[in-house]
Amino acid sequence: MPQEKQSAACESCGKAFKLTGYGPHCKSCIKWACREREDNAYLGILCQAVDIDTNNIDNILVEHHPSTARLSEKILFVEFAQGHQPRAYKLDLSTDLCKEQINHFVKLIKSACCGRDSFTLNEYTDLCSTWHAASHCMTVFEKELVHVDGVDGKPCEFPVYHHSLLDWAFDLLKHPTMGPQFVFDVKCLFKFDGSTFVHFIDEPWTADKFWNLQSRLPPDGKLLPFILYADKKGYPVVAQLANLPTWIRNGEGIGGGHVMGWLPISFKKILGTIEKESEMGCWVKCWDGLAHCFFPVVLILSADHEEQVVMALVHGVKSNFPCPVCLVPHDDISKFPAQCKFCTSAKVTKVLQEARSQETTEKREQILMQQGLHDVDFGDHLWPELLRILNKGGHQVAARVKKNFSMMPHWHSLNHFDDALSISYTDGQKFEDLLKLVVFACHDVLSLVEKEGYLLLCCLRAYIEFDLYTALKSHTAHTLMAGWEALVTFNVLMQRFSEKTENVKKNWNFPKNHMHMHVFDNIKAKGVTWNFSTKLNKKMHGPLKEKYQRHTNFKNVTEQILQVDHLELVSELICCTITDYDMYTSAMEKNTGSPNEHDADEVEQEDFFHVRLGSRVKHPLMLEAVEQRSITNKAFIWFWMKLNEFLNRYFTAVGKTLPGGKHIQFQPNEQIMEFKYIKVNFESVVDWCQYMDHLQCNPNFHRCSHYDCILLKTQQQDIFGQLIFMFQCVVSEESFPLALMQLYDAPTRPWLVKDVHLNLWRVHEQPPESAEFFLVHSIICGALLYPDHT
């Protein structure tokens, strides 16, 4: 007898599957193929509907630098956005594990293989041998001996470890995946807003400084700009390449920031690796097989004020001119924005030459002190003030503010504070989140009667608004002007507060406060703060500390830490290569996923346009059961009858044919499927990239009820609402994802004076019995609303 057929081929993708998996695969394969056809058809309609010769909303105008000899061009926004979409690389984090942990991890993998697959690593030493064998693929650290005179005049010898900036950059330029991501030519970008093209800035190559530097290059020259970060904590010097997009440059993969050496001695050595080439240029054969002439330059020095003082040769915070950027007098540093002369390298060099030409040390120091210089060779202020005022108000005031903080609704990626006032915070992110919440926690405590506290609250609100503008990831002329106005408002309020608190021992005349006036000039010159902020590089202190604790013997640790850091970079290179290979093989296949993966996704989540429902309950619910379990909640009164009314209204509004030509009449025993979680993708109006909100509609989320608020799109206007119940029902084999929501569009009481001073926006909820049904794809994004308890 002929052998029974054991497999069958899918008609959609052509792949063979066992008979037991053929049915589920066909179902999921047809679904995914249908979605792909719909997406491609929609994209085709978008492209056909837009005439690029005419100015349409969101069109991008690109002005190229004259040295490129390229004409201006208009591109569709969808094409521009595709170039800004992040691509994630899977990293190997094994270097963060100690020897014993890696041995256990290897044993676990070998036991999971069960002889079916070959796994050649047996222990930690095998893994290290693999890393060392590939270590030549990335530039290693160099060791040099530096001789300096000690305090007692005796010569001292120090070992210095550092990377060559050029060799590290050349490794990336030659990398087949990272190389194509480089941007060498400056661009001036404009976005059409319906009436005119508005100039905007985001990446360094869209800002003024990149443009000016490229104007000084020869015709065949390419700019290779570095971003250097230095910090006194641990003294690491971290380098990034400004030619790479933000999502790579600020990431943790191959093209992310990398430790080049340690302060203070190695900084001079690091700069010395590009000194000659920055003037003469250097030719490099890149990933595409073509040779280009590159001119390296330090585009951005990112550091805290203490390190900036050293880099600019400023004598200190109490010098005559303590700002490392401009020549503002010491007594006027809090009176910003003020027009002051910039402290340029040419001016500093001239003063140093004059000082060094003097015969005596006294005369040299006198010249330097007049300019506030020193001849060498190499938000948290407002929070203590608030605590002081709250403590002055007594225990009841502090307890009320603490309660208000704890009652703030939980939100994804926002720290929640149950005991905000009695803990000292050293984490910068926690301070940022505190400032975001402090106005809501204190607005009903610090009233107009308490002049000092209320004025400080206004200062905090103005600072939050100013800080929001500085953190934008894309800036236009309008947002830069609005940011300046917010800065002026903050400065006026701070002057009034400092006059009000003259008897308090707090001096607001410090350089960090003055540095705010330079932020928007820096944005114009270097791009958005995302390019030069120290916050992103400070995260590298944690991994360096872990390497010190887990991979050193606590003696002569520099060489050991840098060796582990280099092996981690090699590990990332290996993982990046494997990822590229996996992407290549997946692209060569017609179907990229197994039926089991699709089926598992269908069980857990459902996709509908830009939203995805998740946390599906195990068993369906009957309509009458929904009403019975929520009998005390007026929002569920006549739940199934209101559902019938909504569906009939919806079918009529969109012109859909009613099933069987009859009105929809769900019965109480009809079943629906409940969901308790939803992901909402939305386009930011700031940088036009896609972001995701994680929203809950759960009566028991970590032992607490959690019902998030949202911004909802309706035919009349966009309104706020709160999720009450999310579910999916089926009408004539078509699924409808719905949500019962309580709307916040009821009339509000007259606005108070503090609402204007603190820029508060009030909404009021409709009664629970007025809750309405909406399709979940009407949700624009999530919204964090704070209840007013006054």
Side-chain angles (χ1 to χ4, degrees):
M1 294 181 64
Q3 188 176 2
E4 186 178 355
K5 190 177 181 180
Q6 299 294 322
S7 63
C10 174
E11 296 179 358
S12 298
C13 66
K15 296 190 70 173
F17 293 89
K18 293 182 180 180
L19 295 179
T20 54
Y22 177 75
H25 167 79
C26 285
K27 178 183 176 182
S28 60
C29 190
I30 292 172
K31 175 182 176 181
W32 286 95
C34 181
R35 286 182 181 175
E36 186 177 0
R37 287 195 300 271
E38 291 177 352
D39 291 343
N40 291 335
Y42 183 65
L43 181 59
I45 292 173
L46 283 178
C47 294
Q48 293 174 6
V50 177
D51 181 6
I52 199 63
D53 292 330
T54 60
N55 294 330
N56 296 278
I57 292 291
D58 292 343
N59 273 5
I60 302 296
L61 173 65
V62 183
E63 295 278 1
H64 298 280
H65 193 274
S67 63
T68 63
R70 296 178 60 184
L71 298 176
S72 303
E73 58 179 331
K74 294 179 185 177
I75 60 176
L76 298 176
F77 176 76
V78 64
E79 297 177 10
F80 173 79
Q82 286 175 350
H84 282 60
Q85 290 177 354
R87 303 166 182 81
Y89 284 104
K90 182 172 57 180
L91 301 182
D92 183 2
L93 303 179
S94 298
T95 52
D96 288 339
L97 305 178
C98 65
K99 180 178 178 180
E100 291 75 14
Q101 291 172 325
I102 292 178
N103 283 332
H104 284 296
F105 186 54
V106 171
K107 289 180 181 179
L108 181 63
I109 295 177
K110 292 185 73 68
S111 63
C113 291
C114 299
R116 293 173 296 180
D117 300 304
S118 60
F119 189 76
T120 57
L121 301 179
N122 296 312
E123 56 184 359
Y124 172 77
T125 54
D126 296 338
L127 183 60
C128 287
S129 298
T130 303
W131 285 335
H132 282 289
S135 62
H136 68 280
C137 297
M138 302 298 292
T139 303
V140 297
F141 281 91
E142 301 175 11
K143 179 182 178 180
E144 292 188 31
L145 295 178
V146 176
H147 302 273
V148 296
D149 293 332
V151 178
D152 54 358
K154 296 181 179 180
C156 298
E157 186 179 82
F158 296 96
V160 174
Y161 298 87
H162 65 91
H163 251 321
S164 167
L165 282 176
L166 278 184
D167 291 342
W168 171 71
F170 293 165
D171 287 340
L172 298 181
L173 286 169
K174 297 174 182 178
H175 194 279
T177 301
M178 204 56 57
Q181 305 297 334
F182 276 79
V183 178
F184 298 116
D185 294 321
V186 67
K187 301 175 182 178
C188 198
L189 302 178
F190 302 83
K191 187 169 181 282
F192 192 67
D193 63 358
S195 59
T196 183
F197 279 97
V198 179
H199 178 223
F200 69 91
I201 301 170
D202 51 9
E203 298 284 4
W205 58 80
T206 66
D208 294 346
K209 196 170 183 179
F210 205 116
W211 183 284
N212 296 334
L213 288 171
Q214 185 164 340
S215 300
R216 295 158 54 185
L217 297 180
D220 58 351
K222 300 291 183 184
L223 197 65
L224 191 64
F226 291 90
I227 300 174
L228 295 184
Y229 162 79
D231 193 1
K232 62 183 181 297
K233 183 180 179 182
Y235 301 103
V237 179
V238 179
Q240 297 171 313
L241 276 170
N243 302 98
L244 290 171
T246 303
W247 57 269
I248 295 179
R249 187 175 67 247
N250 292 336
E252 299 177 355
I254 287 292
H258 188 60
V259 176
M260 291 289 134
W262 306 94
L263 283 174
I265 302 175
S266 66
F267 195 72
K268 184 176 181 180
K269 292 289 183 181
I270 293 170
L271 294 179
T273 62
I274 64 171
E275 182 178 4
K276 179 181 177 182
E277 290 78 3
S278 64
E279 297 181 1
M280 307 298 295
C282 54
W283 289 86
V284 182
K285 189 175 181 180
C286 299
W287 78 96
D288 53 3
L290 300 177
H292 300 278
C293 182
F294 291 101
F295 288 81
V297 62
V298 177
L299 182 70
I300 297 172
L301 276 174
S302 175
D304 289 334
H305 183 265
E306 291 82 358
E307 289 77 30
Q308 291 182 30
V309 165
V310 176
M311 294 173 182
L313 305 184
V314 175
H315 203 285
V317 296
K318 294 184 179 181
S319 62
N320 291 336
F321 303 94
C323 177
V325 179
C326 70
L327 297 175
V328 60
H330 178 274
D331 295 336
D332 296 335
I333 54 179
S334 66
K335 300 175 182 178
F336 59 92
Q339 297 298 325
C340 299
K341 295 180 180 180
F342 284 102
C343 181
T344 64
S345 58
K347 294 178 181 178
V348 173
T349 302
K350 183 178 180 181
V351 175
L352 289 177
Q353 290 175 349
E354 182 183 355
R356 290 170 180 174
S357 65
Q358 303 301 313
E359 297 178 356
T360 63
T361 304
E362 183 179 354
K363 291 182 178 180
R364 285 197 295 269
E365 287 299 319
Q366 186 177 3
I367 293 175
L368 293 173
M369 288 180 63
Q370 290 176 355
Q371 298 296 324
L373 296 178
H374 184 51
D375 190 2
V376 295
D377 292 329
F378 65 143
D380 44 354
H381 291 271
L382 295 173
W383 178 251
E385 281 297 291
L386 179 64
L387 294 180
R388 178 185 65 81
I389 292 173
L390 293 177
N391 290 332
K392 190 171 67 173
H395 176 73
Q396 290 184 344
V397 171
R400 189 171 177 182
V401 172
K402 176 182 175 181
K403 182 180 178 181
N404 288 348
F405 269 112
S406 64
M407 295 180 67
M408 173 65 68
H410 290 262
W411 192 256
H412 181 73
S413 72
L414 181 70
N415 284 294
H416 190 270
F417 303 94
D418 290 321
D419 195 7
L421 303 184
S422 58
I423 300 177
S424 297
Y425 298 100
T426 58
D427 186 350
Q429 185 59 51
K430 285 187 170 61
F431 267 119
E432 284 191 19
D433 292 346
L434 274 172
L435 290 178
K436 292 177 183 177
L437 306 177
V438 67
V439 173
F440 302 101
C442 298
H443 77 96
D444 58 346
V445 176
L446 301 177
S447 61
L448 281 166
V449 178
E450 212 292 300
K451 304 258 183 211
E452 184 182 8
Y454 185 78
L455 186 55
L456 177 61
L457 197 61
C458 292
C459 292
L460 283 164
R461 179 64 182 86
Y463 175 78
I464 294 169
E465 187 170 342
F466 159 71
D467 189 57
L468 288 174
Y469 279 110
T470 63
L472 294 181
K473 296 181 181 179
S474 179
H475 265 287
T476 66
H478 304 307
T479 57
L480 288 172
M481 181 60 66
W484 268 111
E485 293 174 356
L487 176 61
V488 172
T489 301
F490 172 61
N491 180 44
V492 170
L493 290 171
M494 283 303 304
Q495 294 294 332
R496 289 173 55 189
F497 180 75
S498 61
E499 294 171 2
K500 200 83 174 175
T501 57
E502 287 181 349
N503 57 334
V504 180
K505 295 181 179 180
K506 175 64 178 178
N507 182 13
W508 296 99
N509 207 46
F510 54 89
K512 285 187 178 180
N513 187 30
H514 164 78
M515 292 299 290
H516 292 147
M517 71 166 288
H518 298 300
V519 65
F520 295 110
D521 289 331
N522 284 334
I523 290 173
K524 290 180 180 179
K526 308 170 188 176
V528 295
T529 56
W530 201 246
N531 300 325
F532 54 85
S533 173
T534 62
K535 297 176 184 177
L536 298 166
N537 287 304
K538 285 182 181 294
K539 66 184 179 183
M540 298 193 69
H541 291 298
L544 289 175
K545 181 179 179 182
E546 290 182 357
K547 292 180 179 68
Y548 167 75
Q549 293 176 333
R550 298 182 179 182
H551 296 280
T552 71
N553 58 4
F554 308 109
K555 299 176 182 178
N556 301 320
V557 298
T558 301
E559 184 175 6
Q560 299 176 63
I561 292 176
L562 295 181
Q563 175 67 17
V564 176
D565 189 74
H566 177 68
L567 292 181
E568 184 178 75
L569 187 63
V570 173
S571 173
E572 292 171 354
L573 175 66
I574 294 173
C575 285
C576 182
T577 306
I578 294 174
T579 302
D580 290 340
Y581 176 77
D582 290 341
M583 294 173 63
Y584 171 78
T585 55
S586 297
M588 298 299 291
E589 297 178 0
K590 293 183 179 180
N591 188 12
T592 59
S594 66
N596 292 333
E597 291 175 340
H598 289 318
D599 293 344
D601 184 68
E602 287 185 305
V603 171
E604 295 297 331
Q605 300 179 330
E606 288 289 340
D607 285 337
F608 299 97
F609 298 96
H610 66 290
V611 299
R612 171 175 286 190
L613 292 171
S615 296
R616 188 171 76 178
V617 298
K618 293 182 178 180
H619 305 290
L621 292 171
M622 290 192 298
L623 293 176
E624 61 180 356
V626 175
E627 290 190 16
Q628 291 173 0
R629 76 175 189 179
S630 307
I631 194 169
T632 58
N633 191 340
K634 295 182 179 180
F636 289 88
I637 295 177
W638 302 110
F639 178 84
W640 63 278
M641 293 183 64
K642 289 196 292 186
L643 176 60
N644 289 333
E645 182 182 350
F646 168 79
L647 289 172
N648 286 307
R649 221 171 40 241
Y650 172 75
F651 270 67
T652 303
V654 300
K656 293 177 70 73
T657 305
L658 291 168
K662 299 180 180 179
H663 282 79
I664 299 171
Q665 290 292 335
F666 279 150
Q667 299 302 315
N669 60 352
E670 293 280 354
Q671 292 184 334
I672 58 175
M673 187 61 67
E674 180 184 3
F675 294 85
K676 297 181 179 180
Y677 164 76
I678 184 171
K679 288 192 294 188
V680 181
N681 296 315
F682 63 95
E683 179 186 307
S684 168
V685 297
V686 177
D687 58 6
W688 317 302
C689 290
Q690 180 174 286
Y691 292 88
M692 180 183 294
D693 275 339
H694 302 261
L695 307 177
Q696 302 291 335
C697 182
N698 197 330
N700 188 18
F701 182 73
H702 293 286
R703 298 183 296 276
C704 296
S705 61
H706 193 152
Y707 296 93
D708 279 319
C709 295
I710 49 89
L711 182 62
L712 187 69
K713 189 170 191 64
T714 67
Q715 292 181 344
Q716 290 77 27
Q717 61 181 345
D718 299 339
I719 58 176
F720 292 100
Q722 185 176 26
L723 297 172
I724 299 176
F725 183 67
M726 296 190 303
F727 63 98
Q728 179 181 323
C729 63
V730 179
V731 179
S732 297
E733 299 184 355
E734 183 178 359
S735 297
F736 288 87
L738 303 173
L740 183 65
M741 303 185 194
Q742 184 175 9
L743 302 183
Y744 284 80
D745 61 344
T748 60
R749 68 185 185 188
W751 284 24
L752 305 176
V753 175
K754 69 175 180 180
D755 297 343
V756 179
H757 290 167
L758 302 177
N759 284 343
L760 298 177
W761 182 270
R762 292 185 180 272
V763 293
H764 190 64
E765 75 274 10
Q766 295 282 0
E769 55 268 22
S770 300
E772 298 182 28
F773 290 101
F774 290 90
L775 291 168
V776 294
H777 60 251
S778 299
I779 299 175
I780 300 174
C781 61
L784 182 58
L785 303 183
Y786 181 76
D788 185 6
H789 303 290
T790 57

